[in-house]
Amino acid sequence: MRPHVVVFGLDGVRHDTLLAARTPELDAIAAAGFLAPVRVNDAAPTISGPGWATIATGVLADRHGIYDNDLTGHQIAKYPDFLTRVRLPDVVAHEEGLTPAYTAAVESCDRRIGRVLAAIRRRPSYAGERWTLIAVTDHGHVDVVGGHGGDSEAERTAWIAACGPGVPAEPPARLEQADVHAHVLAALGVEPRREWALAGRPFSPRPG
Ligand SMILES: [Zn+2]
């Protein structure tokens, strides 16, 4: 059976908002695997650029070279990325703060995820496929007014949800955003090379 992986990126979704929002699709991923808070690595500020770069490339800012949303000097060519973004929640929190509209944006993301998953399940070959599903955010937001880039717990606290072959029900004790990249490689049977200098590791030693 050929392995498949989908990574859903939800920009700037607070862990507590996620838990409070009605997100049945993400809940299903968590129930089949895990959902856990993850601290944004202190190597970079809680900003989208370095956050997504770490998630996508599996290395920290000292290697991908992205410390802000200005990508000057980035090393993405050296540390290649993968990711599908859903930017909507971050924009809402910036413009309106942590209002009901922010929660509604998270729930809207969940419905979009549901449409993707429904399309996957309609594949004629679905029964013979092994799918790994990962949902991840890049950073949180400060209370009430929204915004990020600082070092508060609310901003540093991101999260990862994952399920699929070999994904444990309990998240690993040490969970990093950079683990996403490492797990995607492992799920697809790609052995990382030493020179890739990955900062993360798979959620489980031997996925699938
Ligand atoms: Zn962001």
Side-chain angles (χ1 to χ4, degrees):
M1 291 191 291
R2 287 185 59 194
H4 296 71
V5 176
V6 179
V7 177
F8 299 102
L10 294 80
D11 198 304
V13 174
R14 282 175 55 127
H15 185 242
D16 54 359
T17 300
L18 175 68
L19 297 182
R22 209 183 93 78
T23 53
E25 303 293 344
L26 288 166
D27 292 348
I29 293 174
F34 70 82
L35 163 66
V38 54
R39 179 174 171 82
V40 179
N41 193 284
D42 293 312
T46 55
I47 293 173
S48 303
W52 288 121
T54 291
I55 292 164
T57 65
V59 298
L60 301 179
D62 62 336
R63 293 191 185 273
H64 62 59
I66 296 172
Y67 291 88
D68 203 338
N69 294 329
D70 174 357
L71 308 185
T72 303
H74 73 77
Q75 301 294 317
I76 292 297
K78 188 172 178 186
Y79 301 102
D81 68 293
F82 72 91
L83 203 61
T84 301
R85 291 195 198 188
V86 180
R87 291 181 58 100
L88 183 59
D90 196 43
V91 174
V92 173
H94 275 297
E95 293 182 350
E96 303 189 27
L98 303 192
T99 62
Y102 177 56
T103 301
V106 175
E107 293 173 345
S108 171
C109 284
D110 190 74
R111 290 192 291 274
R112 293 185 194 192
I113 290 170
R115 291 205 291 273
V116 173
L117 296 181
I120 289 172
R121 294 185 190 111
R122 283 197 299 270
R123 289 162 59 89
S125 53
Y126 177 71
E129 295 171 344
R130 294 181 303 152
W131 284 83
T132 296
L133 308 177
I134 300 171
V136 58
T137 197
D138 54 342
H139 53 74
H141 271 271
V142 298
D143 291 332
V144 186
V145 296
H148 56 88
D151 273 325
S152 69
E153 279 300 305
E155 293 160 278
R156 279 279 165 211
T157 303
W159 51 267
I160 296 171
C163 68
V167 174
E170 290 294 323
R174 170 197 166 282
L175 190 62
E176 289 273 343
Q177 289 177 319
D179 294 346
V180 171
H181 182 105
H183 192 88
V184 169
L185 296 186
L188 297 176
V190 176
E191 190 71 29
R193 297 179 192 166
R194 176 181 288 269
E195 63 264 30
W196 295 354
L198 298 185
R201 59 182 101 171
F203 304 137
S204 55
R206 286 186 164 279

